[in-house]
Amino acid sequence: MLDNRDNQISFTLSFNSQFCLSVDLRLPASGVTAIYGPSGCGKTSFLRVVAGLEPCPDATIIVGNQVWQQGTCVLATHKRSLAYIFQENALLEHLNAEQNLQYAIKRTNKKLKPNVYQEVISLLGIQSILSQPVESLSGGERQRVAIARALLVEPKLLLMDEPFSALDLQRKHEILAYLLKVKRRFSTPIIFVSHSIEEVSLLADYLVVMEQGTVAKQGATSELLAKHELSRYQDEEIGGTLQGFVSDILPEWKLNKIQLAAGAVYLPFQNSSSIDQPGYRLEINDAVRVRILAKDISVSLSYAEDNSILNKLAAQVIEIKLEEESASAYIQVQLLSDSENGNQQGAQLMAKITRYSLHKLSLKKGDRVWVQIKSAALLS
C-alpha cells in the first residue's frame, strides 16, 4: 500500500488458536489506526501477536525499518519498541502515579529527552494527582496515567486494547479529547482496538474492519464510515464524520462555532470544552471532528427559517438505499454536502428517514436538498 518502508507498518499473520487469524496489512506509520469489529473477531489476538505476547510462528512483523518477527527471527517483547495499554490499564497498585511513570522510564534504559516528562504530564493533565496512590484514582485518571506512562517510554508503536471500555460516557469523552491532543503533539503511531463506531470516527485516521479473524475492509476512516456497505456494522451509530476548526466561541450561548468545508455549524459546549481547566477548553482555530449520526439528520427540500434547528447545510442526494423485502420503516439516504471552497470536495453524510418521508418528498438521486442537523458529537 505504501512504497516507503519507513512510512509503513507491515503485518502478515497466520495462526490457529481458538480460531483462525489470517491478516495481511500495510498500515500508515503515523496517525491513529483503529481495528474494529464484533467481539470474537480477532482484534485483541491481533494486538497480542504484534506485541509478541501470543506465539505466532508464521508471522512477519516489520515496523518502519525494524524487523520484529520474520521466519525464525523473533524479537522478544521487551526488545520491541512498543507500549501496550490494556483495558484495565495495568498500573502497579503498590506505587503512586508518579512512581508508576518513573518505573517505566527506568526500565527503558534510555535517557529521556529534556522537558518531555513535564510536557507529557501537562498534556494529560495529571500534575495534581502524581502523588496519589493508584487505588485512589478514578478510572479516567488511571487511564491518563497509563497513557502518560506509555508515551514516556518513547515507543515506535503504541497499542491500545479497548482503552475506554471501563469508563462511563463523560470519562470516555475526556480521554478521547486527551488522546486527540496526544495525536497532534506526538508522531508515535497508535493502533487501537474498538467495537464503538463513535470512538473510531472521532479518533482514527485509518480503519481496519475485521470479521472472523480476517480483514473485511480497510481504508481512510471518513471514507469507509460514509459508505453504505459499512452500515451493517454500525447499526444505530451509522453516520458521518466531518473535519473542521473552531472559528468562534460564544460563551453567552455556550456554543462553539465550527467551520466546516460545507459551512459553519453551532454546537453546544460539551465536557471537553466547558470545563475551565487546562487541556479541556477549546480555543479558536483548534482542529476538531464533528460526528453526525444519521438519525440526527432531517432532510428538507427548501431552507426553513421558522424552526429551532440552527445547523443547515446544502447538499445533494447521491444514493438512496432501498431494500425490497425490508421490514423496517426507515431507509438510508447518502448525501454529499456542498463546499464553500470550490476547490474542495464536500463531505459525505448519511440520513435515516422513514419510507413515508421519502414518498412525500419524492426524493431521488441527484436532488438538491437542505440537511438539518439536530445533534452532533464534537471533540477537539
Side-chain angles (χ1 to χ4, degrees):
M1 183 176 300
L2 300 172
D3 295 327
N4 187 344
R5 175 176 283 191
D6 289 335
N7 293 325
Q8 71 177 26
I9 305 172
S10 171
F11 307 105
T12 305
L13 318 176
S14 179
F15 85 117
N16 286 284
S17 181
Q18 295 178 338
F19 63 95
C20 178
L21 179 67
S22 181
V23 175
D24 189 357
L25 283 172
R26 306 292 182 273
L27 301 180
S30 62
V32 179
T33 295
I35 310 297
Y36 171 80
S39 297
C41 70
K43 304 186 299 295
T44 295
S45 293
F46 169 71
L47 279 199
R48 289 180 60 80
V49 170
V50 172
L53 300 174
E54 187 88 41
C56 182
D58 297 325
T60 297
I61 303 171
I62 303 173
V63 178
N65 56 9
Q66 186 178 48
V67 177
W68 287 3
Q69 183 170 345
Q70 192 169 47
T72 58
C73 175
V74 180
L75 202 63
T77 297
H78 69 276
K79 294 184 178 180
R80 302 184 187 195
S81 182
L82 64 83
Y84 198 130
I85 298 177
F86 298 87
Q87 293 180 27
E88 63 279 5
N89 64 66
L91 297 178
L92 299 174
E93 296 284 340
H94 65 288
L95 302 178
N96 66 25
E98 184 168 26
Q99 289 168 337
N100 267 274
L101 302 183
Q102 294 295 342
Y103 179 77
I105 295 170
K106 183 178 179 180
R107 284 184 60 84
T108 65
N109 293 319
K110 294 190 299 184
K111 186 176 181 180
L112 198 62
K113 295 175 184 176
N115 303 321
V116 169
Y117 183 81
Q118 288 300 325
E119 184 176 5
V120 167
I121 64 175
S122 175
L123 188 70
L124 289 161
I126 59 174
Q127 180 67 54
S128 64
I129 63 172
L130 290 178
S131 62
Q132 295 184 26
V134 168
E135 62 183 14
S136 72
L137 301 179
S138 69
E141 289 170 338
R142 284 175 176 242
Q143 204 62 301
R144 279 189 280 153
V145 173
I147 295 168
R149 182 181 62 179
L151 291 173
L152 288 171
V153 304
E154 299 183 285
K156 289 187 176 179
L157 181 61
L158 174 56
L159 305 176
M160 305 180 75
D161 188 3
E162 301 208 41
F164 315 108
S165 61
L167 303 177
D168 60 32
L169 187 60
Q170 179 178 341
R171 298 293 175 261
K172 181 173 82 168
H173 282 171
E174 289 176 7
I175 299 299
L176 277 166
Y178 280 115
L179 280 174
L180 284 166
K181 294 178 187 297
V182 167
K183 171 185 165 181
R184 288 199 295 268
R185 169 58 186 87
F186 294 93
S187 58
T188 307
I190 299 172
I191 300 177
F192 85 102
V193 159
S194 177
H195 63 268
S196 166
I197 284 292
E198 180 192 28
E199 296 169 7
V200 169
S201 64
L202 291 172
L203 187 60
D205 305 296
Y206 196 82
L207 173 60
V208 176
V209 180
M210 290 189 65
E211 281 185 357
Q212 298 180 340
T214 63
V215 175
K217 299 179 185 298
Q218 62 175 302
T221 302
S222 57
E223 293 178 8
L224 284 186
L225 293 184
K227 293 181 179 178
H228 279 319
E229 60 260 30
L230 205 59
S231 62
R232 68 188 181 92
Y233 302 98
Q234 295 174 271
D235 193 25
E236 289 300 307
E237 291 186 295
I238 186 171
T241 304
L242 283 65
Q243 303 281 353
F245 65 92
V246 180
S247 61
D248 198 3
I249 297 173
L250 290 73
E252 67 272 33
W253 307 115
K254 292 184 169 51
L255 291 174
N256 295 299
K257 183 180 179 182
I258 309 299
Q259 185 63 46
L260 307 171
V265 295
Y266 295 86
L267 299 177
F269 287 174
Q270 296 185 2
N271 295 323
S272 61
S273 59
S274 62
I275 300 175
D276 191 14
Q277 180 179 336
Y280 282 95
R281 186 176 294 281
L282 292 175
E283 304 289 346
I284 300 294
N285 294 323
D286 275 356
V288 296
R289 290 186 182 188
V290 177
R291 173 72 171 151
I292 306 173
L293 298 183
K295 64 182 180 181
D296 291 326
I297 288 179
S298 65
V299 177
S300 174
L301 297 178
S302 60
Y303 186 89
E305 292 276 8
D306 56 345
N307 64 38
S308 63
I309 298 176
L310 280 176
N311 302 316
K312 305 176 180 72
L313 302 175
Q316 183 176 31
V317 177
I318 58 176
E319 189 178 347
I320 299 172
K321 185 179 181 183
L322 286 169
E323 298 178 5
E324 293 284 340
E325 301 300 324
S326 175
S328 174
Y330 293 92
I331 60 156
Q332 295 163 11
V333 179
Q334 193 169 0
L335 305 148
L336 181 66
S337 69
D338 289 356
S339 174
E340 290 189 339
N341 181 346
N343 297 322
Q344 188 175 5
Q345 187 179 14
Q348 291 194 36
L349 294 168
M350 193 82 73
K352 185 177 181 180
I353 66 174
T354 65
R355 291 169 177 267
Y356 186 47
S357 294
L358 179 73
H359 169 72
K360 286 185 66 178
L361 295 174
S362 299
L363 278 185
K364 61 184 182 301
K365 185 176 179 179
D367 280 353
R368 303 287 308 169
V369 297
W370 283 93
V371 172
Q372 301 184 130
I373 302 167
K374 294 174 282 187
S375 179
L378 169 65
L379 276 184
S380 63

